[in-house]
């Protein structure tokens, strides 16, 4: 019976042991000393989606993964890498979904064309109804 209680206590306390003991990334919440570089990093961070929150940019998110991405972006900017190269690396690593800036790829052309097609169809229907009402 004592063994069962000990096992039950161990199972119920498992989430406590699941906490990460890793320290936060060095530049997760610390800005770059050079204001120009920080501005570049901040502009890029506002266009990258948080993989944990999914509705916030990594600049606004408090998730640990967003902090890691902020730190990586700042470190790469300080190393002299251009923001577009960093964005390309993030998209390659996490997919197109990570960027708030949509891509124009052939598979997405129907998605881009659909609003224009619906607008044209609506205008045709409106024109037909106006013609029918005239005597």
């Amino acid at each position: 019976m004592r063994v069962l209680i000990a096992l039950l206590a161990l199972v119920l306390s498992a989430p406590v042991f699941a906490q990460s003991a890793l320290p936060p990334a060095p530049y997760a919440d610390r800005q770059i000393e050079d204001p120009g570089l920080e501005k570049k990093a901040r502009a890029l961070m506002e266009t990258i989606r948080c993989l944990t929150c999914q509705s916030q940019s990594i600049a606004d998110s408090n998730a640990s993964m967003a902090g890691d991405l902020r730190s990586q972006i700042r470190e790469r900017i300080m190393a002299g890498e251009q923001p577009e190269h960093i964005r390309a690396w993030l998209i390659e690593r996490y997919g197109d979904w990570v960027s708030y800036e949509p891509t124009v790829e052939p598979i997405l052309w129907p998605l881009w064309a659909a609003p224009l097609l619906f607008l044209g169809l609506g205008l045709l229907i409106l024109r037909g109804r106006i013609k029918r009402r005239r005597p």
Side-chain angles (χ1 to χ4, degrees):
M1 187 63 161
R2 287 184 182 191
V3 173
L4 235 118
I5 292 173
L7 283 174
L8 183 63
L10 185 64
V11 168
L12 292 176
S13 66
V16 172
F17 297 118
Q19 295 295 321
S20 174
L22 295 174
Y27 285 96
D29 297 315
R30 195 173 82 202
Q31 294 185 351
I32 302 172
E33 288 79 21
D34 182 1
L37 292 178
E38 179 62 28
K39 186 177 179 182
K40 276 185 186 180
R42 188 78 179 167
L44 177 58
M45 287 186 267
E46 289 173 355
T47 64
I48 302 297
R49 186 186 315 265
C50 176
L51 300 170
T52 305
C53 306
Q54 300 178 1
S55 63
Q56 290 181 313
S57 69
I58 62 170
D60 300 328
S61 176
N62 290 329
S64 62
M65 186 161 201
D68 291 341
L69 288 176
R70 283 193 306 268
S71 182
Q72 285 181 351
I73 287 173
R74 284 184 173 124
E75 288 170 0
R76 286 174 171 255
I77 292 279
M78 287 188 303
E81 200 168 340
Q82 293 299 315
E84 286 309 311
H85 292 143
I86 300 170
R87 178 189 316 287
W89 173 73
L90 288 168
I91 289 173
E92 180 183 322
R93 189 170 185 183
Y94 298 109
D96 287 331
W97 186 83
V98 76
S99 177
Y100 277 124
E101 293 182 5
T103 59
V104 182
E105 301 213 3
I107 196 162
L108 297 176
W109 289 350
L111 182 65
W112 288 97
L116 297 174
L117 292 173
F118 285 130
L119 181 63
L121 182 65
L123 289 174
L124 284 174
I125 291 172
L126 184 65
R127 181 177 162 216
R129 288 186 181 235
I130 290 174
K131 272 185 166 181
R132 261 193 286 157
R133 288 185 185 223
R134 288 187 181 162

